[in-house]
Amino acid sequence: MPLGVGPIGSYLIINHEQAFKIMFQIASAINYLHSLNILHGDINPNNVVLMNLNVQNPIARVIDFGFLRKLDVDQYCTCHNQTYCFSGPEIHQHQPHTFSADIGSYQRC
């Protein structure tokens, strides 16, 4: 894999178009993982790397698959290893969770 320029949290997003392109790439990556029944388990700004600094055509990649879980369609995950500040409410409540935990990741701290 090529070397990226750094985590997305380290860079200022210049405009809405750039933000949309980056968010679309992140959502596409998560959608692809979920289509394979894979839960990433730790979506946060340190696990999204910018591959270039091109404002017109940014390239973002989801990395760090250390908490990855392969789930069957009707299976739940009971792991709670995610980065606390960026985990969804089901993680904070120590409830079993599924793919929605990747989508519900947001900053709480």
Side-chain angles (χ1 to χ4, degrees):
M1 180 171 187
L3 185 62
V5 295
I8 194 169
S10 301
Y11 294 94
L12 180 65
I13 304 301
I14 304 298
N15 58 43
H16 292 333
E17 183 179 346
Q18 183 186 28
F20 175 79
K21 288 178 181 180
I22 291 170
M23 290 304 298
F24 181 80
Q25 291 172 24
I26 295 167
S28 294
I30 294 169
N31 184 55
Y32 177 71
L33 291 173
H34 291 179
S35 75
L36 299 173
N37 294 330
I38 295 173
L39 172 72
H40 182 279
D42 196 21
I43 301 294
N44 69 66
N46 290 325
N47 290 339
V48 177
V49 172
L50 288 177
M51 302 304 290
N52 65 30
L53 296 176
N54 184 334
V55 174
Q56 299 300 323
N57 192 22
I59 298 174
R61 298 282 187 256
V62 175
I63 63 166
D64 191 358
F65 297 94
F67 295 134
L68 176 141
R69 296 285 186 268
K70 177 98 166 127
L71 299 177
D72 291 329
V73 175
D74 58 346
Q75 187 179 11
Y76 289 89
C77 182
T78 56
C79 54
H80 296 93
N81 300 327
Q82 293 81 355
T83 303
Y84 183 79
C85 288
F86 296 97
S87 57
E90 58 269 56
I91 307 300
H92 289 262
Q93 296 168 6
H94 298 285
Q95 297 177 348
H97 53 279
T98 186
F99 303 108
S100 62
D102 276 346
I103 298 168
S105 298
Y106 58 90
Q107 187 171 4
R108 294 176 59 101
C109 298

